[in-house]
Amino acid sequence: MAKVTDAVAALALPVVERAGCELWDVEYVKEAGTWFLRVYIDKEGGVSIDDCEAVSRPLSDLLDEADPIEGSYTFEVSSAGADRPLKKPEHFARFQGAEVEVKLYRPREGRKEFAGRLGPCSDGQVVLELEGGEAVFAQQEIALVRLHPVF
């Protein structure tokens, strides 16, 4: 599946950039028996429905032409969202100092969820600044890191 997302990302990147946006992530997942291809975009000041449409229409045509996915799927283009997951090193660098939520595969100290300020991350480790100290998580123990917007 990584090959599908890589192929779609390569097709999507120039389309997304022409629309004045940034390619945040590409996801190809099966939910309730249906395959979904999701392209997440971001833009300074936020993503509008017009931005999604400006990416969706030309990218849909490119996908039909290149046909990188066998079988049927539902194609979606959407904003990365205020509570977006952080996956790539550049995501962690960009949001260092932001409030995040870390979810673990297995409990640590009796819990699987931690919230705090994202510290400097490197070498496959995520540092979370908590009240009273910091916690360091290895990449392999992390199920999800997402922004935790405070309104």
Side-chain angles (χ1 to χ4, degrees), residues 23-102:
L23 180 62
W24 186 261
D25 196 19
V26 176
E27 186 178 73
Y28 184 59
V29 294
K30 191 171 191 176
E31 296 175 359
T34 302
W35 283 98
F36 288 87
L37 174 63
R38 295 188 178 112
V39 174
Y40 295 99
I41 60 176
D42 193 25
K43 183 171 103 174
E44 188 69 36
V47 173
S48 70
I49 191 75
D50 293 333
D51 295 319
C52 293
E53 185 178 350
V55 170
S56 180
R57 289 180 189 268
L59 183 53
S60 179
D61 292 342
L62 281 175
L63 289 168
D64 288 344
E65 194 176 300
D67 201 20
I69 301 172
E70 290 183 28
S72 63
Y73 58 91
T74 300
F75 174 56
E76 300 174 350
V77 174
S78 91
S79 163
D83 62 344
R84 69 192 63 191
L86 306 180
K87 297 180 180 180
K88 302 173 186 174
E90 56 267 26
H91 295 167
F92 288 92
R94 178 173 169 184
F95 287 100
Q96 184 176 335
E99 292 292 323
V100 297
E101 179 181 78
V102 174

Side-chain angles (χ1 to χ4, degrees), residues 116-129:
R117 205 168 283 287
L118 184 63
C121 302
S122 63
D123 300 326
Q125 294 186 326
V126 172
V127 176
L128 195 61
E129 297 169 0

